[in-house]
Amino acid sequence: MITPSSPSAVERTDGSPVRLGALVPMTRPGWVEAGRHLLAGLDLAVHEVNEAGGIDGRPLELLVRDTAADPERAAAAVDELAGLGVAAVVGEYHSVVARAAAARADALGVPFLCSSAVLDGLTEEPTEWVARLAPAQSRGWRIFADFLLSEGRHRIAVATQPSVYWASGTSVLREHLAPHGGTVVELDANALTPEALCDALVEHDAAALLLLVGTPEPAVPIVRAVRGDRRLAELLIGAPAGQPEFAAWASALGEDGAGIPFLRYLPEHLGPLGERVAKELRERLGEAPSFVAFEGWDTVTVLASVLRSQGTDRPGVAGSWPRVAVEGTRGPIRFSRTPGIGVWQWTWAPIHVADRDPAAPDRFRIRHTG
């Protein structure tokens, strides 16, 4: 049973805005480019909702707060937004930040629809207040492990930094690869220079290196060092967290950034709705939209549907997660309970492994589907 522990948004018919709080990384050390795409998707969808008459004649208003990849800052933002009477909170890209926001939203009784964070353990305990559009890390990273096996890559090295997100991903890979004879060795990207990391890759006879690190530092220097080391000419570099999706990756690395597979939460082909939204997003961004931008658009579209059918009362919004049935840019969106995951989850979000085509780094190739 859902009982709010903080003031709820009030049903009104006077034309006052329906407010949504939005958590977005807009400054460093947050992944700013991902934040820009996420915000573009959120903002476009709000614009389209308002063009179509808003929420029963009331405009939808987005109150954006910069998380800067800081969990404490995100939790404080949820507090502030709750006090401002938002009907729900949306957004966030970084898993550790989204986890802090989800915990605070659960404690305050504020619905939180997470757009992009994938960490399975988004909350410590099951909650009715939180739902998520992005696929769970365990599902996506198992698909990436299957791709590695299909490529005949069994000796895997991961260049990693301290983070619950990277540690969780490493565990998923190790558990999924082990029954197939695969091994995972961890290399500390904070302790090793890029050159020393190359030596370690040779020493361990690694067939693939996965970049479980921040971007541009240290990911870009590591790629340059590996690409420049003749001993590692046959090594596959991978980036399951999606660093090569963004234009800044291609700008920083050029041809060296191509041929690096990553997880992409898109179908093989967009339908008519996805194509239309892609065109609008491209005009706003000045570049091809990433899957993160589509996640943003889908987030607001789902919530707009909920607000129209259930009203703006917070318990009503949170209680509607199991009844959501919305056509998103990447397919029909429905939430369900997934074993081991404490939030309402869009279980079947599309996933494929892609890379930038070495023959044309601005073009993406699909390498594996799951």
Side-chain angles (χ1 to χ4, degrees):
M1 184 176 185
I2 298 174
T3 55
S5 56
S6 62
S8 177
V10 179
E11 295 286 357
R12 299 174 69 170
T13 57
D14 59 1
S16 61
V18 177
R19 290 178 159 183
L20 294 181
L23 305 178
V24 181
M26 296 188 293
T27 56
R28 297 288 182 193
W31 197 339
V32 175
E33 195 171 13
R36 188 170 73 89
H37 280 236
L38 176 58
L39 184 56
L42 294 170
D43 193 59
L44 173 62
V46 167
H47 172 76
E48 293 185 356
V49 167
N50 288 335
E51 285 287 299
I55 307 300
D56 296 330
R58 298 171 60 191
L60 199 58
E61 181 182 3
L62 205 60
L63 304 183
V64 182
R65 296 297 181 267
D66 176 20
T67 64
D70 183 338
E72 292 184 4
R73 186 165 172 173
V78 174
D79 277 347
E80 178 200 359
L81 293 164
L84 292 172
V86 298
V89 174
V90 301
E92 195 44 45
Y93 178 81
H94 300 282
S95 282
V96 293
V97 180
R99 188 172 62 166
R104 197 65 190 136
D106 181 44
L108 293 174
V110 178
F112 175 36
L113 180 51
C114 182
S115 303
S116 297
V118 301
L119 191 69
D120 282 42
L122 199 58
T123 56
E124 293 291 336
E125 300 291 339
T127 175
E128 299 295 320
W129 292 99
V130 183
R132 174 170 56 191
L133 283 173
Q137 185 180 26
S138 56
R139 177 170 171 249
W141 288 47
R142 282 197 298 267
I143 289 170
F144 198 89
D146 287 337
F147 162 71
L148 294 172
L149 293 170
S150 73
E151 293 285 310
R153 312 282 177 161
H154 290 76
R155 297 178 62 85
I156 312 302
V158 295
T160 189
Q161 294 176 300
S163 163
V164 64
Y165 173 63
W166 300 129
S168 174
T170 301
S171 295
V172 171
L173 292 168
R174 182 173 281 120
E175 291 170 8
H176 197 68
L177 291 169
H180 305 278
T183 59
V184 177
V185 59
E186 296 183 50
L187 304 176
D188 188 341
N190 287 349
L192 297 171
T193 66
E195 292 73 25
L197 192 143
C198 288
D199 292 338
L201 292 170
V202 173
E203 178 184 345
H204 289 285
D205 192 26
L209 168 66
L210 305 187
L211 301 170
L212 310 191
V213 295
T215 186
E217 300 288 339
V220 168
I222 289 173
V223 172
R224 287 190 182 126
V226 171
R227 293 296 200 210
D229 193 321
R230 294 182 180 179
R231 300 173 298 173
L232 301 173
E234 300 303 315
L235 183 79
L236 172 73
I237 306 175
Q243 296 94 322
E245 168 82 0
F246 298 98
W249 178 268
S251 297
L253 285 164
E255 293 181 359
D256 283 346
I260 297 179
F262 64 94
L263 285 168
R264 205 174 193 214
Y265 306 137
L266 290 173
E268 292 187 63
H269 302 285
L270 291 170
L273 175 60
E275 290 287 359
R276 179 187 70 74
V277 173
K279 181 176 181 294
E280 297 286 342
L281 287 169
R282 181 184 286 273
E283 290 179 3
R284 283 179 171 243
L285 289 163
E287 61 189 27
S290 69
F291 65 82
V292 180
F294 291 104
E295 288 174 330
W297 192 93
D298 287 343
T299 300
V300 169
T301 301
V302 166
L303 261 178
S305 174
V306 168
L307 292 167
R308 290 183 182 122
S309 64
Q310 301 297 323
T312 60
D313 180 71
R314 289 174 184 167
V317 172
S320 71
W321 301 138
R323 296 189 295 277
V324 164
V326 174
E327 187 64 30
T329 57
R330 298 162 298 144
I333 297 172
R334 290 177 173 81
F335 297 120
S336 61
R337 286 298 195 183
T338 301
I341 295 173
V343 305
W344 287 96
Q345 177 73 52
W346 182 23
T347 307
W348 302 114
I351 302 175
H352 65 249
V353 178
D355 68 3
R356 290 182 175 272
D357 190 341
D362 288 337
R363 183 173 64 214
F364 293 102
R365 305 182 298 182
I366 294 179
R367 302 285 300 274
H368 183 81
T369 58

